[in-house]
Amino acid sequence: MRVREDAIVRADGSPGLFGVVEKSDFALIIPVDTDGVWLVEQFRHPVGGRYWEFPQGSWEDQPDVGPAELAEAELREETGLRAGRLDHLGQIFTAYGYADQACQVWLATELSPGQRELSVEEQDLVTRRFSHREWGDLLAGGVIKDASSLAAWALLCASPLRERAFGRAVSFPGS
């Protein structure tokens, strides 16, 4: 991660400074099957708490790794799951008001279990499948605080791939 200040000229012509955080892109994976979605819970130091979110991560030491390879590896590392099918849903910027980091969002289906491969920073990570009803309750109750997970879910709900995710035709307003 790197932080820089850019000298800018505002629309009115006045000078200013703009702080930018440069950080490697990351992958977020929505592992879903007909019974529910898989989430991970871990402690997030900047906000001082444990929160449920979709598996996600980056490899700062390998910034040129392919997006699909990163997604497959993060899914395996954090959940132990292997995806028989991995579909790219899109790209989001989680904090483009101050950071250049992008998130590649993936849908993982045709899941099979395996061993997790947690990094030293993830030793307290918890993995759990939530039924679709439980997931809806987490969303409605404001339990999911991770902006990337919420935005990724919106991408899935707007995508034609949602039928694969839910195992049936699903229609949402505006789709």
Side-chain angles (χ1 to χ4, degrees):
M1 177 173 60
R2 195 179 96 160
V3 179
R4 70 172 199 263
E5 284 189 332
D6 294 343
I8 62 167
V9 177
R10 296 186 185 98
D12 68 358
S14 64
L17 284 177
F18 200 95
V20 178
V21 175
E22 296 175 351
K23 196 160 175 156
S24 298
D25 292 352
F26 68 104
L28 180 145
I29 308 91
I30 303 174
V32 62
D33 57 31
T34 55
D35 295 325
V37 299
W38 292 85
L39 301 175
V40 296
E41 182 199 54
Q42 60 186 314
F43 182 78
R44 292 300 193 175
H45 178 78
V47 292
R50 297 185 62 83
Y51 296 96
W52 289 105
E53 60 195 41
F54 288 121
Q56 57 191 281
S58 65
W59 292 348
E60 288 83 7
D61 59 337
Q62 298 179 49
D64 296 327
V65 68
E69 181 183 353
L70 176 61
E72 289 173 353
E74 284 295 328
L75 178 65
R76 182 181 62 251
E77 290 171 8
E78 294 187 3
T79 68
L81 296 170
R82 275 65 173 169
R85 183 161 183 149
L86 191 65
D87 293 291
H88 188 248
L89 291 173
Q91 174 182 291
I92 57 176
F93 293 105
T94 57
Y96 64 23
Y98 64 85
D100 67 354
Q101 186 178 46
C103 171
Q104 301 297 329
V105 179
W106 299 86
L107 172 63
T109 55
E110 302 172 17
L111 303 172
S112 58
Q115 289 291 82
R116 295 189 313 167
E117 301 169 12
L118 299 175
S119 69
V120 68
E121 294 86 12
E122 298 169 328
Q123 295 302 309
D124 69 338
L125 186 135
V126 176
T127 302
R128 180 178 163 210
R129 180 182 357 181
F130 289 84
S131 71
H132 292 295
R133 178 177 300 264
E134 290 172 318
W135 170 242
D137 291 345
L138 292 174
L139 291 170
V143 174
I144 305 301
K145 304 291 187 189
D146 178 53
S148 299
S149 294
L150 293 168
W153 187 252
L155 274 178
L156 174 58
C157 290
S159 169
L161 293 172
R162 68 183 175 269
E163 291 183 16
R164 180 175 306 117
F166 298 112
R168 58 185 165 79
V170 177
S171 181
F172 294 100
S175 61

